[in-house]
Amino acid sequence: MIFWKIALRNLWRNSRRSLITVTTIAVGLAGVIFLWGYIDGTNRQMVTNITRFLSGALQVQGRGYLDEMSFDNFLEDGPAVETLLRDDPAVDRFTPRIVFPVLLSSRTKSRGLLAMGIDPASETGVTTLHRTVAEGRFLASGDTSGILVGQELAESLKVRPGDELVILAQTAYGTLGSTKAPIIGILRTGTKEVDLNFAFLPLRAMQELLEVEQRVSTYALTVKEQAELTALTRRLESGLGDRVELITWRQLMPSIAEEIRFHEALAYFILAVVFVVVGAGIVNTIFMGVWERGREFGIMQALGTARGQIVRVVAYESLILAVAGTIAGSALGLLVTGYYGRQGIDLSRYAEGIKMMAGLSPVVFPEIGAGHLVFAVAVVFVVSTLAALYPALMATRLDPIAAIQQQRAIRAKRSPRRLRSSSRPIRRWVFAAMGTRNLFRNPRRSLITVSGIAFGMAGIFFLWALAEGYYQQIIENATGYETGHLQLSRAGFRQELTPDYSIQEPEALLARARELPGVVGVAPRIFTQALLGTGRKSTGGFLYGIDAVQEPSVTRLSTAVGQGRFLTASDRNAIVLGTRLADKLKAKLGEKVVVYAQASGGDLGAGAYRVVGILESGIFNLDAYYAFIPLVGAQQLLSLDRGITMVAVRLANRWQLPKATIALRGALPADIEVVPWQSLLPIVTQTIELLNVMLQIILLVVFVIVAMGVMNTILMSTLERTREIGIMMAVGTRRGQVAKQVFAESCFLAILGVAVGAVVGSAIAFSAGLRGIDLRPYMGQITAVPGFTGILRPVVLPETLAITALWLFVISLVVSVYPAWRISRLDPVDAIGRG
């Protein structure tokens, strides 16, 4: 008990040091709690919004219905399912549905898609689909006809509210059912998958069209708590039997589930780096506080205190400081997180693309889970407790007399001669020289301060380099395998994808594009939708006709062939399939694939091609839906003579994109669209914007944590020199001169810390860039983000390094103003007495 009293007395005796240490721990922990709350809130919001948006948390379907939407797989006993769902306490609400493929036709165009028959009354309780109406209205309970379509589908079919659509579908009796339905509303969900491929009808109208009486295919439900989902699934599986299966939102929307998993893994990796930065700041502050007590420990040993007892007292002091710091940090972190959890953080002004991210609204509401809160508190508490033991142990190993004399010697070295007062002003370099000399008089203190700044610099720069590497990887991979940096096509082609929008006589267009500054590659292409089939299976996909000679100047498709070879200039009837597409078709090397596509003039083009290669790019869409044939073969297939549908362009540097876009638009005919990769790959743009906003928030919080750590370290270092400063003022040194000297020392420490941090951060980032950081074990295979392979490679950019160094240097100088001002306000007599 006596040691606890001694520890408390020591902390109270030097309340300034104790307060600085507690503040450092509290600010670091509060920053971690807020960041984790932001990440948890974002992830939970994405899951909640997705499940409330369309899919529900869970769906009950007939077994096999997800794989094969046939009437045999409809639910057999809907009332029994409803009773079971209604009686389960974990189920919040549920709604019946029919999901079935149909052909939707307007006056000018037809499109195959999934129609969903819904019960408007119960649907609004399960999903928020009714909140996405952009024009017209949502379905009402009394509606017996009418249809809702997405905005992109409406644009493709060239329809608007009030227009009538014809719906064709196979009925339960094997006949062709048809009906007409007026468009009563257009939805704008922001998710292309929904806006282009779904239509919504009243459930009763859908049952009449398919002639299924009162049967349904699906029940979508929400749960009161996400944590109850696993237990609920087990109960329902037991009660519903083998003829029914339960489908989670992750199975229904795998691409979005992948995006969320990717976001979680990346965010937690970044958070781990933040933990290191925060831990280093806490350790530095505590190290400073303990190392400066060498003389005190020497006196204690000289009076008979055992070394183990000194370490014990220091351990108790650290424990008390850690408890106080973690309590204060937890309270501050929960207060800030709770405030923004209620008010929200509006990100729309910083990243417009976030509005289009599936499940993520522009306003994020942070919320930290209990498990993450406990983990953060535990880590910071352990770091704070153990940080003081090593310096205390080292200090007690010193000879008591040497420890006392060493402190006196250091003070003697630091005691300055009187700065003479005269009419001549003291040159500024004098304070710089004194500041430099003071750094070397106590190298241990200087080393601790420099290391605090260096850790912050290295951590911030590594995070920035990590983000730059991620941006570069997905942009270069996505544009390098498919789109190029720019694409040229006739206005309207990207919406219609038909050969009627082809570019005839493209030679002049290609020549103009090649002549522009910054353009290093131009490749003509034909792009269209197609039906591909073998003797065993057929499926829809996208067909590229490419020039095997010019294509390598724009993309590196030829390097992604996993089996066989890529197209050559002599090929005429060869085809290269994506690996997933080949699996769907059950096609192997050497086998024939028949391709059907709409030709010029509305005729149906058909051709047979032999498989010469299987593409394994690692990009989901490319591997699952794309096939490549020679440009000449595609021209014959679509009856285009020498025409093409697009031109892909690669630039020497993607940063030239704005300038190149303006130049191309000025040099090309008015009916030619210049489309940058951001519009061609919206998911890439949205993912980058999401990460960029998250990174900005993280860097802001880390900057605050580092700044507080630097200020506390400099403040503690300065206040520990109270007696020295008092002597300086007693012999005639003016307050302003004291402040200048302290500020000069801080300036040199900032320069050294930033320089060391820049070297260390660059070395770590460069080494990690060479080896790569493999996140695949934590996030699995990510195919929803085009161009991302699961391996992060940080990129060291000189401009990023310079900006980080400048900002941290400025912050270090700004936060040193208060310690300099504070120490200059001391009373000389009082200061000497404290020493």
Side-chain angles (χ1 to χ4, degrees):
M1 192 65 183
I2 185 65
F3 294 107
W4 284 105
K5 292 182 179 179
I6 294 174
L8 285 170
R9 196 179 303 123
N10 285 340
L11 296 177
W12 186 257
R13 184 180 297 122
N14 198 327
S15 56
R16 291 181 308 187
R17 178 197 298 145
S18 303
L19 181 61
I20 292 171
T21 305
V22 169
T23 302
T24 302
I25 298 171
V27 171
L29 178 58
V32 171
I33 290 174
F34 173 75
L35 285 180
W36 214 331
Y38 170 78
I39 293 170
D40 279 353
T42 302
N43 294 336
R44 184 180 180 89
Q45 179 179 327
M46 291 179 75
V47 174
T48 301
N49 286 357
I50 283 297
T51 55
R52 292 283 294 177
F53 175 64
L54 181 63
S55 68
L58 194 66
Q59 290 193 6
V60 181
Q61 296 182 350
R63 184 164 297 279
Y65 189 77
L66 185 63
D67 299 321
E68 184 179 357
M69 293 183 178
S70 69
F71 297 106
D72 293 336
N73 293 331
F74 267 46
L75 289 170
E76 294 182 346
D77 192 352
V81 174
E82 292 187 13
T83 300
L84 190 61
L85 296 178
R86 192 177 294 110
D87 293 342
D88 196 296
V91 175
D92 185 19
R93 297 181 181 183
F94 63 89
T95 184
R97 293 174 174 173
I98 291 179
V99 184
F100 203 77
V102 302
L103 181 68
L104 211 59
S105 299
S106 66
R107 293 181 178 180
T108 60
K109 205 171 182 184
S110 299
R111 186 176 182 88
L113 46 73
L114 287 178
M116 184 180 293
I118 61 174
D119 174 34
S122 58
E123 185 72 30
T124 55
V126 173
T127 69
T128 56
L129 191 65
H130 59 287
R131 298 179 185 174
T132 66
V133 176
E135 297 180 57
R137 63 174 177 84
F138 195 68
L139 294 171
S141 299
D143 289 335
T144 56
S145 65
I147 188 171
L148 300 171
V149 297
Q151 187 175 42
E152 292 200 34
L153 178 60
E155 292 174 356
S156 176
L157 296 177
K158 294 181 172 57
V159 293
R160 56 189 305 273
D163 292 342
E164 200 169 57
L165 295 176
V166 177
I167 308 171
L168 301 176
Q170 180 185 2
T171 71
Y173 297 99
T175 60
L176 185 64
S178 67
T179 187
K180 292 181 179 180
I183 298 175
I184 63 172
I186 293 179
L187 309 179
R188 186 190 298 125
T189 68
T191 303
K192 186 173 183 178
E193 183 178 351
V194 177
D195 287 347
L196 187 61
N197 298 315
F198 280 84
F200 302 88
L201 292 81
L203 179 62
R204 185 58 193 155
M206 192 72 172
Q207 289 171 331
E208 292 177 355
L209 172 66
L210 302 181
E211 300 181 7
V212 292
E213 299 178 351
Q214 301 296 319
R215 298 174 65 193
V216 298
S217 67
T218 305
Y219 282 94
L221 59 96
T222 59
V223 293
K224 295 177 181 177
E225 294 292 339
Q226 284 290 329
E228 299 176 351
L229 189 58
T230 302
L232 171 64
T233 303
R234 294 197 189 99
R235 289 197 300 271
L236 293 179
E237 285 176 341
S238 175
L240 293 172
D242 295 337
R243 294 285 297 169
V244 173
E245 64 180 340
L246 302 176
I247 309 296
T248 66
W249 68 270
R250 293 181 181 274
Q251 295 170 281
L252 292 166
M253 310 183 82
S255 62
I256 295 174
E258 283 185 358
E259 287 182 41
I260 293 175
R261 191 168 69 249
F262 160 75
H263 174 248
E264 289 177 344
L266 189 60
Y268 292 151
F269 177 80
I270 292 175
L271 197 60
V273 179
V274 175
F275 261 113
V276 173
V277 174
V278 170
I282 293 173
V283 168
N284 281 343
T285 303
I286 295 176
F287 260 45
M288 178 74 75
V290 177
W291 277 121
E292 291 293 333
R293 298 168 63 187
R295 183 172 182 271
E296 173 188 336
F297 294 150
I299 294 174
M300 291 176 66
Q301 291 184 72
L303 294 175
T305 307
R307 294 179 179 180
Q309 292 174 332
I310 294 176
V311 174
R312 190 173 175 183
V313 170
V314 173
Y316 289 162
E317 291 178 14
S318 302
L319 190 63
I320 295 171
L321 291 173
V323 169
T326 50
I327 291 175
S330 299
L332 179 61
L334 290 175
L335 183 65
V336 174
T337 305
Y339 172 79
Y340 283 106
R342 291 188 299 272
Q343 299 296 321
I345 303 174
D346 190 353
L347 304 177
S348 58
R349 71 188 68 176
Y350 306 108
E352 188 69 21
I354 285 182
K355 298 178 182 179
M356 303 297 290
M357 288 294 290
L360 185 59
S361 64
V363 181
V364 176
F365 297 90
E367 57 174 279
I368 187 167
H372 291 166
L373 175 63
V374 171
F375 181 81
V377 170
V379 169
V380 173
F381 178 80
V382 171
V383 169
S384 304
T385 304
L386 298 181
L389 297 183
Y390 174 74
L393 187 61
M394 292 296 100
T396 56
R397 290 183 178 178
L398 293 173
D399 179 74
I401 297 177
I404 297 171
Q405 290 179 344
Q406 182 180 11
Q407 293 296 316
R408 285 179 176 173
I410 292 174
R411 290 187 178 186
K413 288 181 182 179
R414 291 196 304 239
S415 298
R417 296 181 180 179
R418 182 177 182 272
L419 293 175
R420 292 177 298 174
S421 299
S422 67
S423 59
R424 291 186 303 172
I426 300 175
R427 297 183 182 275
R428 295 179 181 179
W429 62 264
V430 172
F431 298 106
M434 292 176 63
T436 306
R437 195 159 51 242
N438 284 338
L439 299 183
F440 290 102
R441 282 174 178 165
N442 197 326
R444 189 168 55 193
R445 175 195 295 145
S446 302
L447 180 62
I448 294 174
T449 306
V450 167
S451 64
I453 300 173
F455 260 108
M457 171 68 193
I460 292 172
F461 177 69
F462 178 77
L463 287 176
W464 210 331
L466 192 72
E468 290 291 347
Y470 167 76
Y471 300 157
Q472 182 170 307
Q473 178 189 8
I474 63 173
I475 291 172
E476 291 304 316
N477 282 352
T479 60
Y481 280 125
E482 182 183 356
T483 63
H485 291 128
L486 288 164
Q487 285 187 4
L488 314 177
S489 60
R490 281 186 58 191
F493 171 75
R494 295 181 63 236
Q495 288 73 36
E496 301 297 331
L497 296 181
T498 66
D500 295 334
Y501 288 84
S502 63
I503 302 171
Q504 299 297 325
E505 307 296 334
E507 290 77 11
L509 177 64
L510 294 168
R512 287 185 187 179
R514 290 192 184 98
E515 292 171 356
L516 290 175
V519 174
V520 296
V522 175
R525 289 176 170 181
I526 288 176
F527 181 66
T528 188
Q529 294 175 308
L531 179 66
L532 299 92
T534 62
R536 294 175 292 276
K537 202 168 183 183
S538 62
T539 186
F542 296 98
L543 183 71
Y544 266 117
I546 61 174
D547 185 318
V549 176
Q550 300 180 66
E551 186 67 27
S553 67
V554 176
T555 67
R556 53 179 185 275
L557 282 168
S558 58
T559 65
V561 175
Q563 302 176 45
R565 62 173 177 83
F566 198 63
L567 300 174
T568 65
S570 60
D571 285 328
R572 289 294 181 270
N573 296 308
I575 189 169
V576 174
L577 302 174
T579 179
R580 293 173 182 264
L581 179 60
D583 290 341
K584 289 181 188 177
L585 296 172
K586 303 187 184 304
K588 299 179 180 179
L589 291 176
E591 294 185 346
K592 283 189 176 182
V593 174
V594 178
V595 178
Y596 301 93
Q598 180 183 344
S600 179
D603 297 330
L604 183 64
Y609 304 87
R610 192 171 300 278
V611 179
V612 298
I614 304 293
L615 199 68
E616 297 178 4
S617 68
I619 300 175
F620 179 79
N621 286 342
L622 204 61
D623 291 342
Y625 302 113
Y626 287 78
F628 302 85
I629 63 175
L631 182 64
V632 174
Q635 289 169 334
Q636 293 175 349
L637 177 69
L638 303 186
S639 303
L640 285 180
D641 193 18
R642 291 185 301 163
I644 61 174
T645 59
M646 68 169 59
V647 177
V649 179
R650 174 156 292 274
L651 305 175
N653 190 320
R654 62 184 171 93
W655 303 112
Q656 299 172 319
L657 185 62
K659 185 177 180 180
T661 302
I662 294 173
L664 280 168
R665 285 173 178 164
L668 299 178
D671 66 334
I672 298 297
E673 286 185 327
V674 181
V675 187
W677 66 265
Q678 291 93 332
S679 298
L680 299 169
L681 301 167
I683 185 63
V684 173
T685 306
Q686 293 162 7
T687 304
I688 288 175
E689 288 196 2
L690 175 61
L691 180 62
N692 196 38
V693 171
M694 183 177 70
L695 181 68
Q696 289 176 20
I697 293 175
I698 289 174
L699 288 180
L700 177 62
V701 175
V702 172
F703 264 118
V704 171
I705 294 172
V706 171
M708 288 296 298
V710 171
M711 185 179 72
N712 287 340
T713 303
I714 294 175
L715 183 61
M716 181 176 288
S717 171
T718 305
L719 293 180
E720 289 296 335
R721 300 161 55 192
T722 300
R723 184 173 181 274
E724 173 194 340
I725 301 299
I727 294 174
M728 290 176 62
M729 290 189 290
V731 298
T733 308
R734 292 193 295 270
R735 298 181 186 275
Q737 294 171 341
V738 172
K740 288 180 180 179
Q741 180 179 333
V742 173
F743 188 78
E745 293 177 17
S746 301
C747 183
F748 282 116
L749 290 171
I751 292 174
L752 288 174
V754 168
V756 172
V759 172
V760 173
S762 299
I764 295 174
F766 183 76
S767 176
L770 292 177
R771 297 193 312 271
I773 303 170
D774 193 353
L775 297 181
R776 290 174 297 184
Y778 311 102
M779 64 173 65
Q781 184 181 10
I782 297 297
T783 58
V785 182
F788 184 66
T789 63
I791 300 177
L792 287 174
R793 297 186 185 276
V795 173
V796 178
L797 297 179
E799 56 268 31
T800 302
L801 184 63
I803 292 172
T804 308
L806 179 62
W807 270 104
L808 194 58
F809 176 73
V810 171
I811 287 174
S812 299
L813 293 187
V814 170
V815 299
S816 66
V817 171
Y818 173 72
W821 175 83
R822 179 73 177 80
I823 202 69
S824 68
R825 309 308 299 172
L826 292 173
D827 177 76
V829 177
D830 182 57
I832 296 173
R834 289 187 193 178

